[in-house]
């Protein structure tokens, strides 16, 4: 049996607007949220560019068991101008006291919060289409006004 390996590909920093986030109740007693994307950067050995301001957002579900299920879509513009759409899903959960600090926008040690991602990418044929045929996993870090995602290609 071959054990999959992880190869660091790039980091995305996504900036969010300052202020309260939208949250509203949905069927089943859970809460849905929304936050728009203000911009950001993409850096790493395999991809560089920026997050296109206003190109999307995240629509998380705040589940009754304390898990946050992320469902984000946004655009990346590479250094050469190519547009890549990101579909990013994942889960985050933390002990109640840590989650309360995250909700208040306080800094939290990333090790105290499980935040894992499974992105999929869409782009035109060309130098970045390797993104559309590679499986990725990611680690997330939530801050008050931004999130950081480190993405690894599964080899």
């Amino acid at each position: 049996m071959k054990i999959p390996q992880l190869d660091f590909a790039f980091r995305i920093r996504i900036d969010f607007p300052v202020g309260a986030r939208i949250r509203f109740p949905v069927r089943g007693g859970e809460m849905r949220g929304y936050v728009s994307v203000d911009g950001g950067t993409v850096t790493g050995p395999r991809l560089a560019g920026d997050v296109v301001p206003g190109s999307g957002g995240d629509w998380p579900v705040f589940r009754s068991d304390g898990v946050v299920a992320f469902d984000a879509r946004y655009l990346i513009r590479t250094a050469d101008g190519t547009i890549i759409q990101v579909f990013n899903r994942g889960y985050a959960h933390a002990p109640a006291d840590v989650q309360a600090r995250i909700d208040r926008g306080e800094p939290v040690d990333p090790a105290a919060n499980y935040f894992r991602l499974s992105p999929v990418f869409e782009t035109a044929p060309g130098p970045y289409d390797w993104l559309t045929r590679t499986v990725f996993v990611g680690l997330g870090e939530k801050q008050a006004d931004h999130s950081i995602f480190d993405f690894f290609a599964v080899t």
Side-chain angles (χ1 to χ4, degrees):
M1 172 190 301
K2 182 181 178 201
I3 306 296
Q5 302 294 309
L6 301 179
D7 182 31
F8 176 66
F10 52 92
R11 169 177 276 189
I12 298 179
R13 176 192 162 124
I14 296 192
D15 298 322
F16 301 109
V18 177
R21 307 294 189 249
I22 296 171
R23 287 193 186 180
F24 53 95
V26 293
R27 188 176 301 262
E30 296 179 322
M31 298 292 285
R32 168 79 65 183
Y34 173 74
V35 62
S36 62
V37 171
D38 261 2
T41 56
V42 181
T43 57
R46 299 195 62 192
L47 191 63
D50 63 285
V51 176
V52 177
S55 66
D58 187 20
W59 291 261
V61 171
F62 298 88
R63 295 183 352 193
S64 58
D65 63 357
V67 172
V68 180
F70 295 96
D71 184 5
R73 289 183 179 201
Y74 51 90
L75 301 176
I76 293 171
R77 181 183 302 110
T78 65
D80 67 6
T82 300
I83 297 294
I84 300 166
Q85 184 166 14
V86 182
F87 303 88
N88 201 9
R89 290 186 163 200
Y91 299 105
H93 54 84
D97 61 318
V98 173
Q99 187 61 50
R101 290 176 44 222
I102 292 169
D103 290 343
R104 291 192 300 267
E106 297 174 13
V108 171
D109 179 353
N113 179 32
Y114 180 93
F115 191 168
R116 304 296 185 266
L117 306 159
S118 179
V120 174
F121 302 93
E122 186 176 81
T123 193
Y128 304 102
D129 64 2
W130 61 274
L131 292 162
T132 68
R133 59 179 181 269
T134 304
V135 173
F136 292 87
V137 294
L139 301 174
E141 179 181 328
K142 178 74 179 98
Q143 300 297 327
D145 63 348
H146 70 278
S147 288
I148 295 174
F149 307 134
D150 289 324
F151 291 119
F152 299 83
V154 179
T155 60

